[in-house]
Amino acid sequence: MESINMPNIEPIIHNFLQGKSTPDEDKILYLWVKENPENRKTLFQEKDFWEASRLGTQKLNEAEFNHWFELQDKIIQQNKKVNRLKEVLRTAAIVILSLGAGWLGHSLVSSGVFANKQIEMKQVESFNGQLKEIFLADGTHVWLNSGSKLSFPSGFNAENREVELSGEAFFEVTANEEEPFLVKTQDHIVKVTGTRFNISEYPESNIIETTLEEGRVKIITGNFIKDLYPGQQSSFNTRTAEIRIGETDLEVYTTWKDGFYEFNNESVCKVFKIIERWWDVKIDYPEKDLKDERITGTLRRHKPLDQHFDVIKRLVPFNYKIESDLVTVSLK
């Protein structure tokens, strides 16, 4: 097959991104993408710039979104960064990857800096059944767990480099000693100058956990300020205002972003909460009877839900029934 030149492919890319391409054009585009890995990079790059230019748009039109998935499913997924990614990150906060239970999608949060250079607060929500990766305007990389929200400014400056979190997120913060990065939760502030760390603060829990993998952060709660070092975790009880800091197993608190959750002597009730968020189901279970039960194991997002329940019920004897998005658990 003859190589397809960029001048000829540009109109097809343009039509495809608008959802107006014909089946023949889709075939040409697919063959062009397969021909060279660089072509795939170009397509994703053009898609990012095209989306970013759609001022005020929060998501693609449903038809266009489905159109994108149809072609994307045919392309071998690669986790390579595009050449002009840094250029995009200077001007927009982009959600580059959304991982749900069995599906793959792309979405973009458009930035107010395109329109009027003013700083605006944006929000990304990772619904139950989803994991999302986000690049903020300063290059900070964020993994957002299921059932979580992240609010952030469309641009960063010396006076404005802070985000607000509800739920759980893993941060890889771009180093900047002169402009610290702040993560605010309802009762907590984490001050960062460049590091990798995890924060868990779900509304139904009264515990805020900050786990540091690399670098150093400051935990700020009222008048309490404490440095956290690699391998340490702070645990703040929002009811009693008690703070505990100690060594911890990093894998237990950070591997969820890679698609599996390790737990060691964990409450069955907490494991059920994680399952509800990750698989977007409701679990009806006798909480009073199971509140003292603790288990050790691993949840894997790519495994079917019933396989996990088959394993858990070997550790804690119970019966279960899965009907659509409802799991009913009863004691034997």
Side-chain angles (χ1 to χ4, degrees):
M1 174 182 172
E2 277 189 11
S3 177
I4 302 174
N5 296 323
M6 194 56 195
N8 297 328
I9 202 67
E10 281 182 345
I12 296 177
I13 292 176
H14 181 74
N15 288 341
F16 171 73
L17 292 177
Q18 291 188 333
K20 299 177 180 179
S21 58
T22 65
D24 287 341
E25 287 178 326
D26 284 348
K27 183 178 180 181
I28 293 173
L29 187 60
Y30 172 56
L31 294 174
W32 178 75
V33 168
K34 284 187 63 179
E35 183 183 40
N36 190 328
E38 292 299 318
N39 293 346
R40 179 184 179 277
K41 289 183 181 181
T42 299
L43 178 60
F44 274 80
Q45 177 179 307
E46 292 297 325
K47 173 181 175 290
D48 285 340
F49 281 114
W50 179 77
E51 288 177 354
S53 69
R54 302 178 68 191
L55 302 179
T57 299
Q58 299 245 340
K59 60 183 179 179
L60 295 175
N61 176 275
E62 183 178 355
E64 296 171 0
F65 210 59
N66 292 336
H67 196 60
W68 171 254
F69 287 159
E70 288 175 6
L71 183 64
Q72 183 180 326
D73 287 341
K74 301 176 184 178
I75 300 172
I76 299 175
Q77 298 303 320
Q78 300 177 20
N79 237 347
K80 298 180 179 179
K81 295 180 180 179
V82 297
N83 292 334
R84 293 183 352 216
L85 181 59
K86 292 184 178 179
E87 180 180 347
V88 177
L89 297 178
R90 293 190 189 103
T91 55
I94 300 175
V95 181
I96 63 164
L97 184 62
S98 302
L99 289 176
W103 59 271
L104 172 64
H106 290 257
S107 59
L108 176 144
V109 178
S110 59
S111 171
V113 296
F114 286 105
N116 52 23
K117 303 296 183 181
Q118 294 180 352
I119 301 299
E120 299 177 12
M121 289 302 293
K122 304 295 180 181
Q123 184 180 90
V124 171
E125 183 169 2
S126 182
F127 296 100
N128 286 347
Q130 296 180 336
L131 296 181
K132 289 189 176 181
E133 284 186 60
I134 307 161
F135 280 102
L136 302 182
D138 68 338
T140 292
H141 193 176
V142 186
W143 289 258
L144 197 61
N145 206 347
S146 302
S148 303
K149 296 179 182 178
L150 185 71
S151 299
F152 52 90
S154 55
F156 289 90
N157 53 43
E159 292 78 32
N160 188 17
R161 197 174 182 235
E162 63 183 52
V163 301
E164 296 180 6
L165 172 69
S166 173
E168 184 169 22
F170 184 91
F171 293 83
E172 187 174 83
V173 177
T174 302
N176 191 329
E177 294 286 344
E178 297 179 358
E179 300 176 15
F181 186 93
L182 300 180
V183 181
K184 293 184 177 181
T185 66
Q186 185 173 354
D187 299 281
H188 222 47
I189 296 177
V190 177
K191 185 177 181 180
V192 186
T193 55
T195 189
R196 291 167 56 88
F197 62 100
N198 191 83
I199 299 180
S200 178
E201 186 261 354
Y202 281 103
E204 72 270 12
S205 174
N206 64 315
I207 301 295
I208 302 175
E209 294 173 331
T210 303
T211 309
L212 182 61
E213 181 178 293
E214 181 182 300
R216 189 167 72 176
V217 301
K218 286 185 183 295
I219 306 300
I220 305 173
T221 302
N223 294 325
F224 179 88
I225 301 176
K226 183 69 175 179
D227 285 331
L228 205 62
Y229 296 92
Q232 290 186 327
Q233 179 186 76
S234 71
S235 179
F236 174 67
N237 190 312
T238 58
R239 293 178 182 173
T240 65
E242 179 184 8
I243 297 178
R244 295 183 179 181
I245 295 180
E247 301 293 324
T248 191
D249 184 349
L250 292 178
E251 290 191 352
V252 171
Y253 296 94
T254 62
T255 54
W256 61 263
K257 63 184 175 58
D258 300 314
F260 60 97
Y261 184 93
E262 295 189 5
F263 47 93
N264 184 18
N265 194 32
E266 189 61 83
S267 162
V268 170
C269 295
K270 182 175 179 179
V271 173
F272 281 173
K273 287 293 184 183
I274 295 169
I275 290 175
E276 286 183 325
R277 288 192 293 264
W278 271 22
W279 278 270
D280 192 17
V281 296
K282 172 65 178 176
I283 304 177
D284 183 10
Y285 63 98
E287 187 172 351
K288 290 183 179 179
D289 296 321
L290 294 175
K291 66 178 182 178
D292 295 325
E293 297 288 350
R294 309 189 77 84
I295 58 178
T296 297
T298 303
L299 297 175
R300 300 183 184 277
R301 287 178 60 83
H302 67 280
K303 294 289 186 180
L305 187 57
D306 58 346
Q307 288 189 18
H308 289 91
F309 274 94
D310 286 341
V311 172
I312 295 174
K313 77 174 189 176
R314 294 176 190 171
L315 305 174
V316 181
F318 59 70
N319 294 313
Y320 75 91
K321 180 171 62 175
I322 300 177
E323 296 176 305
S324 185
D325 57 354
L326 175 65
V327 182
T328 303
V329 173
S330 58
L331 297 182
K332 291 184 177 181

